[in-house]
Amino acid sequence: MIADEDTVVGFLLAGVGNVDLRRKTNYLIVDSKTTVKQIEDAFKEFTTREDIAIVMISQYVANMIRFLVDSYNKPIPAILEIPSKDHPYDPAHDSILSRVKNLFSTESVASGRR
């Protein structure tokens, strides 16, 4: 999970968070002091770890590293963009939704349907 404190804490209370023996977490709390480099590093780390199947990222945080999110193309871990308390979800910026729409529009054109 990569999101603001309220979102991360909510998911931690639901049991999503983990801290291993090396004190490594499976989440990053993004605040005003968090750099884009830290977000990029966390995204790269979480998408290469074998113990993570889904990376949930607040959409406004994903927009900060949009080039990384849009270029990610592996099925596992899946990337799930979620809303946060202060930033509403905008489907126009969701990379997965854009790929699905593109896939269906391509299939419709190829099969002659519109």
Side-chain angles (χ1 to χ4, degrees):
M1 164 142 291
I2 305 172
D4 61 278
E5 184 176 19
D6 290 341
T7 304
V8 171
V9 168
F11 278 96
L12 291 177
L13 290 171
V16 171
N18 184 47
V19 180
D20 65 13
L21 295 174
R22 294 172 288 153
R23 309 284 302 154
K24 213 168 197 189
T25 64
N26 65 350
Y27 58 88
L28 173 67
I29 297 175
V30 177
D31 59 17
S32 61
K33 296 175 184 171
T34 307
T35 66
V36 173
K37 173 95 170 87
Q38 289 173 309
I39 297 168
E40 289 174 359
D41 292 344
F43 182 83
K44 289 174 184 176
E45 176 191 343
F46 295 163
T47 54
T48 56
R49 283 177 49 178
E50 294 196 10
D51 63 329
I52 295 179
I54 299 173
V55 175
M56 291 186 283
I57 184 169
S58 290
Q59 190 175 54
Y60 86 95
V61 175
N63 287 337
M64 293 180 197
I65 58 166
R66 180 57 59 194
F67 66 97
L68 275 178
V69 174
D70 287 348
S71 65
Y72 182 80
N73 59 6
K74 296 179 183 172
I76 296 175
I79 307 301
L80 179 61
E81 293 183 34
I82 60 173
S84 63
K85 182 175 78 171
D86 297 327
H87 300 88
Y89 173 78
D90 182 2
H93 292 136
D94 190 324
S95 61
I96 300 298
L97 187 59
S98 297
R99 289 179 192 173
V100 170
K101 283 182 180 179
N102 188 31
L103 177 67
F104 281 115
S105 66
T106 303
E107 286 180 0
S108 297
V109 170
S111 66
R113 287 183 266 151
R114 291 191 179 171

